[in-house]
Amino acid sequence: MKRREFITLLGGAAAWPLAARAQQSGRLPRVGVLVSASPPHPFADAFWRGLRPLGYSEGRNIAVEFHYTQGRSERAEELADELVQRKVDVIVAHFTPAVRAALGATRIIPIVMAPAGAPLQSGFVQSLAHPGGNVTGLSGMDAEIGGKRLQLLRELIPDLARVAVLASNPSTDPFSGPFVEDLRLAARRAGLRLEPVLVNGPDNFADAFATMARAQAQAVIIQGLFDPHRVRLLELAAKHRLGLMSGSRDTTAAGGLVSISGNFILLYERAALYVDKIIKGSHPASLPVEQPTKFQVVINMKTARSLGLMISPTLLAQADEVIE
């Protein structure tokens, strides 16, 4: 066989739909899922709600295995390597640390972001319209809505002048870079003072909040990486009388002041559409990255009252959920 013919054959095999290859080999398309959290977590149920209407059933025409990183980047790397060794056909990666781990493990197996923050700034894709590599999927836009966050805080706290942001050191999670930078630029445009406080982990929370208090911050925006530690964060926010903003409805329900985010449950469901397209032969490089078009706002009125805030009826009417 000539070299050119061999290359053409390889290219054709790479483009051959997974479903057809599976039918020929008697092997179901295998999907490995990395969830950047601990179980129980809503991802699995939401992902299956997306798969079932597309005709998928576990053990009949697809095999899906869920793995939980416990929020640890080193665990994400270990699991990503295992999935590559197990020769899964698609990796679904929930949140930025899982996407980064999957991309570090393979540049060949398709990776679906479900979702990821700042995929362009993080180098996961070449562009949103033309990803260009083995990664596509959904953007959570968690690092691109700094202006919306500060506008919302200003409506909640009319005399707002100083806002803190609790983020990880970039060596712990590089996503903190674009997350903080977007807020810094938004604060400059809004004429607000931003106090970034970077930490290695939960052991630094107490000192971080003391730093915020000395800077006379009135509110703190926390990076999503820290949401699993919401109980401790809310205790510290209450102690220092800081309005806590997150990207998690659960954190707001537990005592945070407000949250704003894309509809993550819907994003988890929509990840199934990308898996379906890849199984049927689409290449990640040609599947545009999808972004949220609407952001959910949840306000905790009990917390607002404890901070002495009077929330306008107009803002309450615009919120997606008000927790009493």
Side-chain angles (χ1 to χ4, degrees):
M1 181 181 295
K2 294 180 181 179
R3 181 175 182 274
R4 185 181 299 275
E5 293 173 339
F6 179 69
I7 292 173
T8 300
L9 180 60
L10 283 180
W16 193 18
L18 299 179
R21 297 208 305 271
Q23 186 176 15
Q24 290 290 330
S25 66
R27 174 179 174 273
L28 299 179
R30 298 176 63 188
V31 180
V33 183
L34 287 178
V35 182
S36 294
S38 303
H41 190 276
F43 188 93
D45 287 343
F47 186 58
W48 272 112
R49 281 199 301 274
L51 284 173
R52 291 190 188 100
L54 299 171
Y56 291 100
S57 175
E58 176 67 34
R60 183 174 66 84
N61 55 5
I62 198 171
V64 183
E65 50 185 273
F66 294 90
H67 299 275
Y68 297 84
T69 72
Q70 316 297 328
R72 293 160 42 206
S73 58
E74 71 278 9
R75 183 60 178 150
E77 293 169 2
E78 293 170 5
L79 291 170
D81 287 337
E82 288 179 16
L83 290 176
V84 172
Q85 292 169 10
R86 291 163 68 87
K87 294 182 170 56
V88 297
D89 298 300
V90 185
I91 296 176
V92 177
H94 164 256
F95 286 4
T96 300
V99 177
R100 192 176 302 281
L103 193 55
T106 179
R107 298 277 173 162
I108 299 173
I109 297 173
I111 298 168
V112 175
M113 303 180 293
L120 189 58
Q121 298 94 319
S122 298
F124 298 152
V125 297
Q126 295 176 15
S127 74
L128 298 181
H130 303 284
N134 66 318
V135 179
T136 187
L138 302 122
S139 167
M141 291 192 73
D142 204 40
E144 295 95 331
I145 58 171
K148 293 181 183 293
R149 292 183 193 278
L150 294 179
Q151 179 184 351
L152 181 55
L153 281 175
R154 180 166 264 171
E155 291 182 52
L156 288 164
I157 309 172
D159 64 344
L160 186 68
R162 296 179 179 85
V163 180
V165 53
L166 181 69
S168 66
N169 281 310
S171 59
T172 303
D173 183 2
F175 172 70
S176 66
F179 181 75
V180 172
E181 179 63 12
D182 185 64
L183 284 166
R184 186 184 66 79
L185 295 174
R188 179 188 296 172
R189 291 191 298 267
L192 296 171
R193 178 177 171 183
L194 189 74
E195 297 287 344
V197 183
L198 307 184
V199 299
N200 292 322
D203 290 344
N204 304 131
F205 285 168
D207 289 341
F209 274 79
T211 299
M212 298 173 201
R214 286 194 298 271
Q216 298 182 317
Q218 296 151 282
V220 56
I221 300 169
I222 65 167
Q223 185 179 336
L225 177 71
F226 299 134
D227 270 307
H229 307 284
R230 61 177 60 93
V231 172
R232 179 60 175 152
L233 292 171
L234 291 169
E235 289 174 352
L236 289 165
K239 174 182 176 180
H240 295 285
R241 294 190 58 77
L242 287 165
L244 188 145
M245 169 181 271
S246 73
S248 166
R249 184 261 176 206
D250 290 342
T251 298
T252 302
L257 174 61
V258 62
S259 61
I260 178 171
S261 69
N263 185 332
F264 283 116
I265 298 299
L266 179 60
L267 293 175
Y268 301 161
E269 292 179 14
R270 293 192 65 79
L273 295 173
Y274 282 87
V275 171
D276 177 57
K277 289 177 181 179
I278 290 169
I279 287 175
K280 291 177 178 175
S282 295
H283 195 284
S286 61
L287 293 175
V289 174
E290 184 176 313
Q291 295 178 295
T293 56
K294 186 179 184 300
F295 296 91
Q296 295 184 315
V297 173
V298 180
I299 299 172
N300 188 314
M301 283 300 295
K302 181 179 179 181
T303 301
R305 285 191 290 266
S306 72
L307 293 169
L309 301 176
M310 299 292 293
I311 312 301
S312 73
T314 301
L315 179 57
L316 291 176
Q318 293 172 349
D320 294 277
E321 182 179 1
V322 177
I323 297 171
E324 295 291 345

